[in-house]
Amino acid sequence: TDTSLCFPQDMEDEDKIYISRSLFTAETEEEINLIIEEYKDRFGKPDKNMEKIFLLSKKFLEAKIKGKRKVKVFEDLIFIE
């Protein structure tokens, strides 16, 4: 099973960097939701991989807020430790 998370291949590298940096440095879930809306406006409906990236960014934020140091991803499961 391929568990890698990838941006769409046709997306420009600058867009990939901008979106990933924005998602993973966001300070609030509202900020992440705005980035997701911007993505949808520019690129359309996110595929399954992008949905996982969006979810993962929310879990990273949750971990950061709770002072946790680890976020483990196992297939479709995400654990915060």
Side-chain angles (χ1 to χ4, degrees):
T1 305
D2 181 16
T3 57
S4 61
L5 297 176
C6 304
F7 283 89
Q9 286 187 335
D10 58 350
M11 185 184 284
E12 296 291 326
D13 286 344
E14 297 81 33
D15 291 325
K16 293 175 187 177
I17 293 167
Y18 167 75
I19 290 171
S20 60
R21 184 176 293 148
S22 299
L23 285 172
F24 290 97
T25 59
E27 297 292 324
T28 65
E29 189 167 341
E30 292 78 22
E31 199 176 328
I32 291 173
N33 289 335
L34 287 172
I35 297 160
I36 293 169
E37 287 308 311
E38 179 183 355
Y39 176 92
K40 290 177 181 176
D41 287 346
R42 292 183 62 199
F43 304 104
K45 186 178 188 297
D47 65 11
K48 202 171 178 183
N49 258 327
M50 283 308 300
E51 290 289 355
K52 285 184 181 179
I53 290 170
F54 296 148
L55 176 61
L56 188 59
S57 69
K58 289 181 180 184
K59 292 296 182 181
F60 268 109
L61 175 63
E62 182 184 333
K64 186 165 59 173
I65 290 169
K66 290 181 176 180
K68 304 295 183 179
R69 295 185 177 266
K70 286 186 183 175
V71 176
K72 291 184 177 181
V73 180
F74 179 75
E75 295 182 8
D76 288 336
L77 303 173
I78 301 171
F79 301 97
I80 298 173
E81 296 181 343

